[in-house]
Coordinates of all heavy atoms in Angstrom, one line a residue:
M61 N -145.8 22.0 -52.4 CA -146.2 20.7 -52.8 C -146.9 20.8 -54.1 O -147.8 21.5 -54.3 CB -147.0 19.9 -51.7 CG -147.4 18.5 -52.2 SD -148.4 17.7 -50.9 CE -147.1 17.1 -49.8
E62 N -146.5 20.0 -55.1 CA -147.2 19.9 -56.4 C -148.5 19.3 -56.2 O -148.8 18.5 -55.3 CB -146.3 19.1 -57.3 CG -145.0 19.6 -57.6 CD -145.0 20.8 -58.5 OE1 -145.9 20.9 -59.4 OE2 -144.1 21.7 -58.4
D63 N -149.5 19.6 -57.1 CA -150.8 19.1 -57.1 C -150.8 17.5 -57.1 O -151.5 16.9 -56.4 CB -151.7 19.6 -58.2 CG -152.0 21.1 -58.0 OD1 -151.9 21.6 -56.9 OD2 -152.4 21.7 -59.0
I64 N -149.9 17.0 -58.0 CA -149.9 15.5 -58.1 C -149.4 14.9 -56.8 O -149.8 13.8 -56.4 CB -149.0 15.1 -59.3 CG1 -149.2 13.6 -59.6 CG2 -147.6 15.4 -59.1 CD1 -150.6 13.3 -60.2
D65 N -148.4 15.6 -56.1 CA -147.9 15.1 -54.8 C -149.0 15.1 -53.8 O -149.1 14.1 -53.0 CB -146.8 15.9 -54.3 CG -145.5 15.8 -55.2 OD1 -145.4 14.7 -55.9 OD2 -144.7 16.7 -55.2
A66 N -149.9 16.1 -53.8 CA -151.0 16.2 -52.8 C -152.0 15.1 -53.1 O -152.4 14.4 -52.1 CB -151.6 17.5 -52.9
I67 N -152.3 14.8 -54.3 CA -153.2 13.7 -54.7 C -152.6 12.4 -54.3 O -153.3 11.5 -53.7 CB -153.6 13.8 -56.2 CG1 -154.4 15.0 -56.4 CG2 -154.3 12.5 -56.6 CD1 -154.5 15.4 -57.9
A68 N -151.3 12.2 -54.6 CA -150.7 10.9 -54.2 C -150.7 10.7 -52.7 O -150.7 9.5 -52.3 CB -149.2 10.9 -54.8
A69 N -150.6 11.7 -51.9 CA -150.6 11.6 -50.5 C -151.9 11.0 -50.0 O -151.9 10.3 -49.0 CB -150.4 12.9 -49.8
L70 N -153.0 11.2 -50.7 CA -154.3 10.6 -50.3 C -154.4 9.1 -50.7 O -155.4 8.5 -50.4 CB -155.4 11.4 -50.9 CG -155.5 12.8 -50.4 CD1 -156.6 13.6 -51.2 CD2 -155.7 12.9 -48.9
R71 N -153.3 8.6 -51.3 CA -153.3 7.1 -51.6 C -153.3 6.3 -50.3 O -153.8 5.2 -50.2 CB -152.1 6.8 -52.4 CG -152.0 5.5 -53.0 CD -150.8 5.3 -53.8 NE -149.6 5.6 -53.1 CZ -148.5 6.2 -53.5 NH1 -148.4 6.6 -54.8 NH2 -147.4 6.4 -52.8
D72 N -152.8 6.9 -49.2 CA -152.7 6.2 -47.9 C -154.2 6.2 -47.3 O -154.8 7.3 -47.2 CB -151.8 7.0 -47.0 CG -151.7 6.3 -45.6 OD1 -152.7 6.4 -44.8 OD2 -150.7 5.7 -45.3
P73 N -154.7 5.0 -47.0 CA -156.1 5.0 -46.5 C -156.4 5.7 -45.2 O -157.4 6.3 -45.1 CB -156.4 3.5 -46.4 CG -155.0 2.8 -46.4 CD -154.1 3.7 -47.1
V74 N -155.4 5.8 -44.3 CA -155.6 6.5 -43.1 C -155.7 8.0 -43.4 O -156.5 8.8 -42.9 CB -154.5 6.2 -42.0 CG1 -154.6 7.2 -40.8 CG2 -154.6 4.8 -41.6
R75 N -154.7 8.5 -44.2 CA -154.7 9.9 -44.5 C -155.9 10.3 -45.3 O -156.5 11.4 -45.1 CB -153.4 10.2 -45.4 CG -153.3 11.7 -45.6 CD -151.9 12.0 -46.2 NE -150.9 11.9 -45.1 CZ -149.7 12.3 -45.2 NH1 -149.2 12.8 -46.4 NH2 -148.8 12.1 -44.3
R76 N -156.4 9.4 -46.1 CA -157.6 9.7 -46.9 C -158.8 9.8 -46.0 O -159.7 10.7 -46.1 CB -157.8 8.7 -48.0 CG -159.0 9.0 -48.9 CD -159.1 8.1 -50.1 NE -159.0 6.7 -49.8 CZ -158.0 5.9 -50.2 NH1 -157.0 6.4 -50.8 NH2 -158.0 4.7 -49.8
R77 N -159.0 8.9 -45.0 CA -160.1 8.9 -44.1 C -160.0 10.2 -43.3 O -161.1 10.9 -43.0 CB -160.0 7.7 -43.1 CG -160.6 6.5 -43.7 CD -160.9 5.4 -42.7 NE -159.9 5.2 -41.6 CZ -159.0 4.3 -41.7 NH1 -158.8 3.5 -42.7 NH2 -158.2 4.1 -40.7
L78 N -158.9 10.6 -42.8 CA -158.7 11.8 -42.0 C -159.1 13.0 -42.9 O -159.9 13.9 -42.4 CB -157.3 12.0 -41.5 CG -156.9 11.0 -40.4 CD1 -155.4 11.0 -40.2 CD2 -157.5 11.4 -39.1
Y79 N -158.6 13.1 -44.1 CA -158.9 14.2 -45.0 C -160.4 14.3 -45.2 O -161.0 15.4 -45.1 CB -158.1 14.0 -46.3 CG -158.5 15.0 -47.4 CD1 -158.0 16.3 -47.3 CD2 -159.5 14.7 -48.3 CE1 -158.4 17.2 -48.3 CE2 -159.8 15.6 -49.3 CZ -159.3 16.9 -49.3 OH -159.7 17.8 -50.2
E80 N -161.0 13.2 -45.6 CA -162.4 13.2 -45.9 C -163.3 13.6 -44.7 O -164.2 14.4 -44.8 CB -162.9 11.8 -46.4 CG -162.4 11.5 -47.7 CD -162.6 10.1 -48.2 OE1 -163.0 9.2 -47.3 OE2 -162.4 9.8 -49.4
Y81 N -162.9 13.2 -43.5 CA -163.6 13.6 -42.3 C -163.4 15.1 -42.0 O -164.4 15.8 -41.8 CB -163.1 12.8 -41.0 CG -163.8 13.2 -39.8 CD1 -165.1 12.8 -39.5 CD2 -163.2 14.1 -38.9 CE1 -165.7 13.3 -38.4 CE2 -163.8 14.6 -37.8 CZ -165.1 14.1 -37.5 OH -165.8 14.6 -36.4
V82 N -162.2 15.6 -42.0 CA -162.0 17.0 -41.8 C -162.7 17.9 -42.8 O -163.4 18.8 -42.4 CB -160.5 17.3 -41.7 CG1 -160.2 18.8 -41.7 CG2 -159.8 16.6 -40.6
V83 N -162.6 17.5 -44.0 CA -163.3 18.4 -45.1 C -164.8 18.4 -44.8 O -165.5 19.4 -45.0 CB -162.9 17.9 -46.5 CG1 -163.8 18.5 -47.5 CG2 -161.5 18.2 -46.7
A84 N -165.4 17.2 -44.5 CA -166.8 17.1 -44.3 C -167.3 17.9 -43.2 O -168.5 18.3 -43.1 CB -167.2 15.6 -44.2
Q85 N -166.5 18.2 -42.2 CA -166.9 18.9 -41.0 C -167.2 20.4 -41.3 O -168.0 21.0 -40.6 CB -166.0 18.8 -39.8 CG -165.7 17.3 -39.4 CD -167.0 16.5 -39.3 OE1 -167.9 16.9 -38.5 NE2 -167.1 15.5 -40.1
G86 N -166.5 21.0 -42.2 CA -166.7 22.4 -42.5 C -166.3 23.3 -41.4 O -166.8 24.5 -41.3
R87 N -165.4 22.9 -40.5 CA -165.0 23.7 -39.3 C -163.6 23.1 -38.9 O -163.2 22.1 -39.4 CB -166.0 23.6 -38.2 CG -166.2 22.2 -37.7 CD -167.1 22.1 -36.5 NE -167.4 20.7 -36.2 CZ -166.7 19.8 -35.5 NH1 -165.5 20.2 -35.1 NH2 -167.1 18.6 -35.3
E88 N -163.0 23.8 -38.0 CA -161.7 23.3 -37.5 C -162.0 22.0 -36.7 O -163.0 21.9 -36.0 CB -161.1 24.3 -36.6 CG -160.5 25.5 -37.3 CD -159.7 26.4 -36.4 OE1 -159.3 26.0 -35.3 OE2 -159.4 27.5 -36.9
V89 N -161.1 21.1 -36.8 CA -161.2 19.8 -36.2 C -159.9 19.5 -35.4 O -158.8 19.6 -36.0 CB -161.5 18.6 -37.2 CG1 -161.5 17.3 -36.5 CG2 -162.8 18.9 -37.9
G90 N -160.0 19.1 -34.2 CA -158.8 18.8 -33.4 C -158.3 17.4 -33.7 O -159.0 16.6 -34.3
R91 N -157.0 17.2 -33.4 CA -156.4 15.9 -33.6 C -157.2 14.7 -32.9 O -157.3 13.6 -33.5 CB -155.0 15.9 -33.2 CG -154.1 16.7 -34.0 CD -152.6 16.6 -33.5 NE -151.8 17.5 -34.3 CZ -151.4 18.7 -33.9 NH1 -151.7 19.2 -32.7 NH2 -150.6 19.4 -34.6
N92 N -157.6 15.0 -31.7 CA -158.3 13.9 -31.0 C -159.6 13.5 -31.7 O -159.9 12.3 -31.8 CB -158.6 14.3 -29.5 CG -157.4 14.4 -28.7 OD1 -156.4 13.8 -28.9 ND2 -157.5 15.2 -27.6
E93 N -160.3 14.5 -32.1 CA -161.6 14.2 -32.8 C -161.4 13.5 -34.1 O -162.1 12.5 -34.4 CB -162.3 15.6 -33.1 CG -163.6 15.4 -33.8 CD -164.3 16.7 -34.1 OE1 -163.9 17.8 -33.6 OE2 -165.3 16.7 -34.9
A94 N -160.4 14.0 -34.9 CA -160.1 13.4 -36.2 C -159.6 11.9 -36.0 O -160.0 11.0 -36.7 CB -159.0 14.2 -36.9
A95 N -158.8 11.7 -35.0 CA -158.3 10.4 -34.7 C -159.4 9.4 -34.4 O -159.5 8.3 -34.9 CB -157.2 10.4 -33.6
E96 N -160.3 9.9 -33.5 CA -161.4 9.0 -33.1 C -162.3 8.7 -34.3 O -162.7 7.6 -34.5 CB -162.2 9.7 -32.0 CG -163.3 8.9 -31.5 CD -164.1 9.5 -30.3 OE1 -163.4 10.2 -29.5 OE2 -165.3 9.4 -30.2
A97 N -162.6 9.7 -35.1 CA -163.4 9.5 -36.3 C -162.8 8.5 -37.3 O -163.5 7.7 -37.9 CB -163.7 10.8 -37.0
A98 N -161.5 8.5 -37.4 CA -160.8 7.7 -38.4 C -160.4 6.3 -37.7 O -160.0 5.4 -38.5 CB -159.5 8.4 -38.9
G99 N -160.6 6.2 -36.4 CA -160.3 4.9 -35.8 C -158.8 4.7 -35.6 O -158.4 3.5 -35.7
V100 N -158.1 5.7 -35.4 CA -156.6 5.6 -35.3 C -156.1 6.3 -34.0 O -156.9 7.1 -33.4 CB -155.8 6.1 -36.5 CG1 -156.2 5.4 -37.7 CG2 -156.1 7.6 -36.7
A101 N -154.9 6.0 -33.6 CA -154.3 6.7 -32.4 C -154.1 8.2 -32.8 O -153.8 8.5 -33.9 CB -153.0 6.0 -32.1
R102 N -154.1 9.0 -31.7 CA -153.9 10.4 -31.9 C -152.6 10.7 -32.5 O -152.4 11.6 -33.4 CB -154.0 11.2 -30.6 CG -153.9 12.7 -30.7 CD -153.8 13.3 -29.3 NE -153.7 14.8 -29.4 CZ -152.6 15.5 -29.8 NH1 -151.5 14.8 -30.1 NH2 -152.6 16.8 -29.8
T103 N -151.5 10.0 -32.1 CA -150.2 10.2 -32.7 C -150.1 10.0 -34.2 O -149.5 10.7 -34.9 CB -149.1 9.4 -31.9 OG1 -149.5 8.0 -32.0 CG2 -148.9 9.9 -30.5
L104 N -150.8 8.9 -34.6 CA -150.9 8.6 -36.1 C -151.6 9.7 -36.8 O -151.2 10.2 -37.9 CB -151.5 7.3 -36.3 CG -151.5 6.8 -37.8 CD1 -150.2 6.9 -38.4 CD2 -152.2 5.5 -37.9
A105 N -152.8 10.1 -36.2 CA -153.5 11.2 -36.9 C -152.7 12.5 -36.9 O -152.7 13.1 -38.0 CB -154.8 11.5 -36.1
A106 N -152.0 12.8 -35.9 CA -151.2 14.0 -35.9 C -150.1 13.9 -37.0 O -149.8 14.9 -37.7 CB -150.5 14.2 -34.5
H107 N -149.5 12.8 -37.1 CA -148.5 12.6 -38.2 C -149.1 12.9 -39.5 O -148.4 13.6 -40.3 CB -148.0 11.1 -38.1 CG -147.2 10.7 -39.3 ND1 -145.9 11.1 -39.5 CD2 -147.5 10.0 -40.4 CE1 -145.5 10.6 -40.7 NE2 -146.4 9.9 -41.2
H108 N -150.2 12.4 -39.8 CA -150.8 12.6 -41.1 C -151.4 14.0 -41.3 O -151.3 14.6 -42.4 CB -152.0 11.6 -41.4 CG -151.5 10.3 -41.7 ND1 -150.8 10.0 -42.9 CD2 -151.6 9.1 -41.0 CE1 -150.5 8.7 -42.9 NE2 -151.0 8.1 -41.8
L109 N -151.9 14.6 -40.2 CA -152.5 16.0 -40.3 C -151.4 17.0 -40.4 O -151.6 18.1 -41.0 CB -153.4 16.2 -39.1 CG -154.7 15.4 -39.1 CD1 -155.3 15.5 -37.7 CD2 -155.6 15.7 -40.2
D110 N -150.2 16.7 -39.7 CA -149.2 17.7 -39.8 C -148.3 17.6 -41.0 O -147.5 18.5 -41.3 CB -148.3 17.6 -38.5 CG -149.0 17.9 -37.2 OD1 -150.1 18.6 -37.3 OD2 -148.5 17.5 -36.2
G111 N -148.4 16.5 -41.7 CA -147.5 16.2 -42.8 C -147.9 16.9 -44.1 O -148.4 17.7 -44.5

């Protein structure tokens, strides 16, 4: 993925919330934890985290 593509991916507010949460933890974060922190369903979090 090109750098610009990676930055553009964060344009999505859910993906950005997930990214910011995961980075701030400084440790591995599971899908359930990330989903809860972002206020979204686990399946949606998994979609963004796996993408």
Side-chain angles (χ1 to χ4, degrees):
M61 179 178 281
E62 298 285 329
D63 290 341
I64 194 74
D65 292 334
I67 293 168
L70 294 176
R71 188 176 60 214
D72 182 286
V74 172
R75 186 169 287 190
R76 186 172 45 250
R77 281 197 315 266
L78 288 164
Y79 173 81
E80 289 171 349
Y81 177 78
V82 170
V83 169
Q85 300 316 298
R87 61 177 171 77
E88 290 187 13
V89 175
R91 290 182 183 101
N92 290 337
E93 179 183 349
E96 186 174 322
V100 298
R102 183 190 183 283
T103 53
L104 180 57
H107 166 76
H108 285 293
L109 294 169
D110 293 345

